[in-house]
Amino acid sequence: MTSEAERKMRFLFALRSKGVSDSRVLSAMERIDRGLFVKGIFAARAYEDMPLPIACGQTISQPSIVGRMTQALDVQPRHKVLEVGTGSGYQAAVLSLLARRVYTVDRHRRLVREANELFSRLGLANITAITADGSFGLPEQAPFDRIIVTAAAEDPPGPLLAQLRPGGIMVLPVGQSDTVQTLIKATRTEDGIEYEELGPVRFVPLVEGLGQE
Ligand code: SAH
């Protein structure tokens, strides 16, 4: 077996062994090469199940967390999805293979520019990355069928809950410090919002305002 095939097999095995079982999610993650989203000295570790540093002091999430969050989001082919926290663009690229349209926002202009360049290089024409403070969502494109937040807030931001379509799902890490956070699935029902806890996680914080560059 070539080392690339072997690397891919190990990557998928790690995802499965950490609870990613949805075949659509696994095949999207098989198709998007994480190695393209990690630069410099860390690129060699892109296929290991660990978060890695990216530009602007941020991190690309651990693949098994990307898989578990994507699976919990239950994205369908007609869905319009919002991601808060573009980072490297990896999570958005995975979502773009499952959804009709993906909007992703980040407070760092540079990350948005680099992610958009990568999306066009890969021919992922249904994603748009936008520089914005994602705590306010993206009112001009709301409502969304699905919202995923990849930075931790103390509480689910109200504007994001408000931009969720009835029946919509939002997956986000919630917690007060950067050591104790819980992954939450929020579903908008006729009677309000239902919450389900999906386990402990660790994300960079959701920060107000745009990045200073
Ligand atoms: N999903 C990314 C990883 C995200 S890291 C990936 O696949 O690589 C978290 C990101 O959230 C960082 O890039 C950070 O700049 C961004 N972020 C933090 N607070 C934000 C806010 N208020 N609005 C938009 N983006 C924010």
Side-chain angles (χ1 to χ4, degrees), residues 62-104:
Q62 189 175 348
S64 57
I65 294 289
V66 171
R68 282 175 48 210
M69 288 177 84
T70 308
Q71 185 167 283
L73 209 56
D74 188 25
V75 181
Q76 301 298 320
R78 299 188 55 79
H79 281 169
K80 179 164 74 169
V81 181
L82 172 67
E83 180 195 26
V84 175
T86 311
S88 68
Y90 177 66
Q91 171 76 73
V94 170
L95 289 169
S96 78
L97 299 185
L98 301 167
R100 176 173 57 84
R101 196 81 185 77
V102 177
Y103 292 92
T104 177

